[in-house]
Amino acid sequence: MPIGKILCLGDSLTGGMEQDATGFRSYRGALQKLLTDGGYTIDFVGTQSSTPASGGTDPNHDGYGGAYISAAGGPNDSNNISSKLATIAAAHPAVDVIILYVGWNDCYNQKGTITTRYTSLLSSIASTWPSAKLILTTLSPQPGQTSAETGSSIPEYA
């Protein structure tokens, strides 16, 4: 069963540090394995490349370590998903599914305007790829904390 082109878009949790056995893993390898085991034909697309360490072989994605939702006067302003959309769309003007996983860096450093910036990013994605299905993820629990602890310690997470 075809699904088509999937753009995994987000921060380091999308990109992962797959080349490093001590680094964290992204969800891409496990997702590819689940879909192909289910009989789906997929192609991850993106301007970045790092082979998933577990479960998959397709290296393409648009995950950026330390990325924010958008520029907002933060410590890493140039590394944000909103400013990368035009470049990504030029390379991949037609995608079928977009999986968006971004927000941890914003929670840690720019709590006040996350909702506004996230809403703006969603609008930009929808206008850039109007026929794509958009899957929004929730943030995983912070390492070393339960989801309840994470939710109570970072208000924007909730």
Side-chain angles (χ1 to χ4, degrees):
M1 293 180 279
I3 284 186
K5 296 180 181 185
I6 299 175
L7 173 62
C8 298
L9 178 63
D11 56 25
S12 59
L13 296 170
T14 295
M17 293 183 353
E18 308 295 0
Q19 71 281 359
D20 180 351
T22 63
F24 57 88
R25 306 289 188 245
S26 78
Y27 60 87
R28 296 178 295 110
L31 176 61
Q32 182 184 2
K33 182 169 180 6
L34 286 169
L35 291 172
T36 55
D37 287 355
Y40 293 95
T41 301
I42 63 163
D43 179 21
F44 286 150
V45 298
T47 63
Q48 306 298 299
S49 180
S50 60
T51 303
S54 57
T57 57
D58 193 326
N60 302 311
H61 63 89
D62 270 291
Y64 302 89
Y68 290 92
I69 294 167
S70 66
N76 201 2
D77 240 11
S78 64
N79 185 19
N80 70 81
I81 299 303
S82 294
S83 69
K84 297 178 185 306
L85 290 183
T87 301
I88 297 166
H92 301 286
V95 297
D96 300 302
V97 176
I98 299 168
I99 300 171
L100 180 62
Y101 192 123
V102 64
W104 263 124
N105 298 308
D106 299 270
C107 284
Y108 284 135
N109 297 297
Q110 302 173 11
K111 297 177 183 163
T113 60
I114 292 173
T115 303
T116 302
R117 290 183 290 115
Y118 195 76
T119 300
S120 178
L121 175 60
L122 296 180
S123 294
S124 295
I125 290 171
S127 65
T128 302
W129 294 282
S131 63
K133 305 264 189 287
L134 180 57
I135 298 171
L136 308 177
T137 66
T138 57
L139 298 178
S140 59
Q142 182 179 8
Q145 290 188 330
T146 67
S147 58
E149 290 169 330
T150 301
S152 63
S153 65
I154 301 176
E156 285 288 343
Y157 176 85

